[in-house]
Amino acid sequence: MSNIPAELKYVASHEWLRLEADGSVTVGITEHAQELLGDIVFVELPKVGANLAAEEQAGVVESVKAASDVYAPIAGEVLEVNAELEAAPELANSEPYAAGWFFKIKPANAADLDSLLDAAGYAKEIGA
Amino acid sequence: MTAPKRTPLFDAHVAAGAKMVDFAGWEMPIHYGSQLKEHEIVRSDAGMFDVSHMTVIDISGSDAKAWLQQLIANDVAKLPFEGKALYSGMLTEDGTVVDDLIVYLTSYGYRMVVNAGTTDKDLAWMDSHKAGFDVSLNVRRDLAMLAVQGPNAIAKVCAVKPQLADAIQSLKVFQGLPAGDWFFARTGYTGEDGLEIMIPAGEASNFFNELVAAGVAPIGLGARDTLRLEAGMNLYGHDMDETVSPLQAGMGWTIAWEPASRDFIGRKALEAQKAAGVPMKQVGLVLEGRGVLREGQKVVVEGVGEGIITSGTFSPTLKHSIAIARVPAATGADAQVDLRGTLTAVRVVKMPFVRNGKKVFE
């Protein structure tokens, strides 16, 4: 059974979001997503400073098995990307909710988070 | 829809933590945790694959040799002694590939191993080409098959079967030997040394567990695919099938043209293809930058034409992507691949990519 931390928000395309103390939002892919992908060998991250619309493509994750797009779960400006993940993409497998984060975004509208799935909603979404 | 079939090792896979998937109608292990780790174990130590879904066919009868000489493109007359193995394509009249297979010379005739997904059509094809030959086929569903591969594979099998160690160690590459109801062959699909072992179904689990205890790791189909791709070996249904000539799939070496009098199925079509000029060839592609080459991606060769990737992956040994592609015959050292909408430069190389754990292409 996949780990779905209660304190995070989720979208159906398998990204998670964490609201940080400074108002920024950290984004990654869920444990369920990395299980589906298998061993991850490359990630492509968005450019810092890019303004992304909700559901806009923000990057690519490539596993041995498949390539999959990563989407911006909410609109906002990319503040930071995880350079460590680019160098060690397997972090998205081993620590999807910690060292395997993808990018940080400054939400265009902080209230956008409220409408996203909570852990129970995501668990239902993936049939967990 | 019929339920997927299970090999005699199904319970052993589940007990070993396998993730099981449907493969060609069989419930098979795709990995036991990490495909990359399993790949590395086979390159550096020893791993084992359940290949019981493949089909063993024993061929006997006074016309067995003559029948095989017209059935397959390579020539069983080249097999000099019992146990020796031959790789071949079985072709259509149009000179395309029905299946690829291994055939061993045995005391009673021949033993053939064909792919799982093609078994039904292979057997129907063979049956429809038996008229006039004294030949009988015995499909050995009573056998399981384990491929034990890697630099330490043979030593670890010998540790489990000490009474057979001398015989196993005497095997040359592409050679097999029967031992009672068992059969050991020094063959494989990984580019490493190792054995493919046929086992009475009821003894398979016990042998599997003995090998685990001897330090042989179970390996899933995921790593089997990356290993064979690094070794530059074709996978039926991807790199060739009934729409592709063996001459365009890197299988020219498996066609025995001599003696010219041997009229095997597909020969006339292949001769016509050769006379007309074979327009496409199989090559290896290497992408040293980021990204992964995948089956079905378009290959663009400037000023020459287009081709297609037939198998592609991330190479765990080389840490970059490699692919097998079918490209125009005039393709040189450079090509581009349409990588999710971006034309990306790749190098065209001679395969294999990896042999015995080491990079081998220039």
Side-chain angles (χ1 to χ4, degrees):
Chain A
M1 191 59 65
S2 279
N3 178 21
I4 306 174
E7 68 277 18
L8 304 180
K9 288 286 198 174
Y10 299 89
V11 289
S13 53
H14 307 298
E15 289 85 12
W16 57 260
L17 304 88
R18 185 172 58 226
L19 180 61
E20 308 292 353
D22 62 1
S24 69
V25 171
T26 304
V27 178
I29 65 167
T30 64
E31 185 168 295
H32 177 70
Q34 69 81 21
E35 277 169 6
L36 291 178
L37 284 163
D39 291 303
I40 294 168
V41 292
F42 291 111
V43 297
E44 215 176 283
L45 298 172
K47 288 197 169 60
V48 172
N51 270 294
L52 300 174
E55 296 175 30
E56 186 177 347
Q57 192 193 332
V60 178
V61 51
E62 295 229 35
S63 71
V64 175
K65 206 159 73 183
S68 181
D69 291 330
V70 175
Y71 299 97
I74 53 170
E77 182 191 343
V78 178
L79 295 173
E80 190 183 346
V81 298
N82 186 357
E84 205 186 333
L85 179 67
E86 283 185 300
E90 63 274 15
L91 288 172
N93 289 120
S94 57
E95 299 179 49
Y97 299 115
W101 64 278
F102 276 56
F103 55 89
K104 282 186 166 54
I105 201 165
K106 180 181 169 192
N109 177 5
D112 286 351
L113 252 79
D114 300 340
S115 59
L116 303 180
L117 297 170
D118 61 9
Y122 180 66
K124 201 173 158 200
E125 180 71 32
I126 64 172
Chain B
M1 192 171 146
T2 51
K5 289 173 275 196
R6 293 177 172 181
T7 77
L9 290 165
F10 177 85
D11 291 338
H13 297 314
V14 173
K19 179 167 189 242
M20 306 299 288
V21 298
D22 185 347
F23 179 84
W26 292 80
E27 220 172 331
M28 301 298 290
I30 185 78
H31 63 71
Y32 301 79
S34 167
Q35 176 177 340
L36 289 176
K37 282 203 190 83
E38 289 164 27
H39 181 108
E40 282 157 18
I41 287 168
V42 174
R43 287 274 178 256
S44 62
D45 186 1
M48 62 177 152
F49 312 78
D50 180 7
V51 287
S52 307
H53 58 314
M54 297 181 79
T55 301
V56 179
I57 306 164
D58 283 339
I59 301 162
S60 57
S62 60
D63 292 333
K65 181 178 179 183
W67 181 68
L68 282 169
Q69 285 193 289
Q70 55 86 50
L71 184 77
I72 64 175
N74 213 336
D75 189 355
V76 292
K78 289 200 276 187
L79 293 171
F81 52 84
E82 276 180 31
K84 186 68 186 167
L86 185 77
Y87 174 75
S88 181
M90 179 164 72
L91 309 182
T92 65
E93 295 286 359
D94 296 334
T96 62
V97 186
V98 177
D99 202 4
D100 66 331
L101 54 90
I102 283 186
V103 61
Y104 300 90
L105 184 64
T106 63
S107 58
Y108 50 82
Y110 298 88
R111 168 166 284 187
M112 182 186 281
V113 182
V114 302
N115 284 302
T118 50
T119 294
D120 292 347
K121 75 158 185 175
D122 288 349
L123 291 171
W125 178 263
M126 291 179 202
D127 268 337
S128 71
H129 290 85
K130 266 182 6 189
F133 290 94
D134 170 28
V135 61
S136 53
L137 307 183
N138 182 12
V139 180
R140 296 297 303 271
R141 286 284 171 227
D142 55 321
L143 295 178
M145 185 152 45
L146 263 184
V148 189
Q149 303 277 299
N152 299 329
I154 290 179
K156 288 187 173 180
V157 170
C158 289
V160 169
K161 291 273 168 204
Q163 69 279 23
L164 293 173
D166 286 348
I168 290 170
Q169 278 158 350
S170 74
L171 284 174
K172 301 255 183 340
V173 172
F174 239 62
Q175 185 186 332
L177 70 95
D181 296 333
W182 293 51
F183 189 87
F184 293 81
R186 195 166 163 197
T187 52
Y189 194 47
T190 61
E192 297 298 325
D193 204 352
L195 300 166
E196 290 179 306
I197 307 169
M198 300 166 201
I199 312 153
E203 298 174 55
S205 289
N206 187 42
F207 185 52
F208 182 97
N209 292 331
E210 285 175 341
L211 287 170
V212 169
V216 178
I219 310 292
L221 290 177
R224 182 168 165 83
D225 194 52
T226 50
L227 288 158
R228 71 92 192 168
L229 230 162
E230 285 185 349
M233 293 173 173
N234 281 350
L235 176 59
Y236 190 84
H238 300 262
D239 303 302
M240 75 300 196
D241 58 25
E242 287 190 21
T243 69
V244 177
S245 161
L247 299 176
Q248 302 188 10
M251 293 174 67
W253 64 278
T254 70
I255 297 160
W257 299 101
E258 300 295 332
S261 58
R262 188 176 68 94
D263 188 20
F264 61 86
I265 299 168
R267 177 174 192 127
K268 285 185 187 67
L270 292 184
E271 284 173 347
Q273 289 171 23
K274 277 223 297 192
V278 182
M280 306 288 277
K281 64 178 178 181
Q282 186 185 69
V283 296
L285 301 181
V286 171
L287 172 62
E288 268 131 344
R290 299 161 57 83
V292 181
L293 303 170
R294 310 238 182 229
E295 179 177 352
Q297 286 171 346
K298 187 167 72 178
V299 182
V300 179
V301 187
E302 220 169 66
V304 176
E306 290 183 356
I308 191 162
I309 289 180
T310 55
S311 290
T313 193
F314 174 79
S315 160
T317 305
L318 304 169
K319 312 292 183 208
H320 59 67
S321 186
I322 55 172
I324 300 175
R326 193 163 58 246
V327 298
T331 301
D334 299 298
Q336 291 176 297
V337 172
D338 185 344
L339 220 60
R340 298 161 58 84
T342 308
L343 278 183
T344 306
V346 295
R347 289 205 294 128
V348 178
V349 303
K350 190 175 172 331
M351 294 191 291
F353 302 101
V354 177
R355 269 291 145 86
N356 300 113
K358 303 253 166 25
K359 171 178 169 175
V360 283
F361 62 92
E362 293 295 315

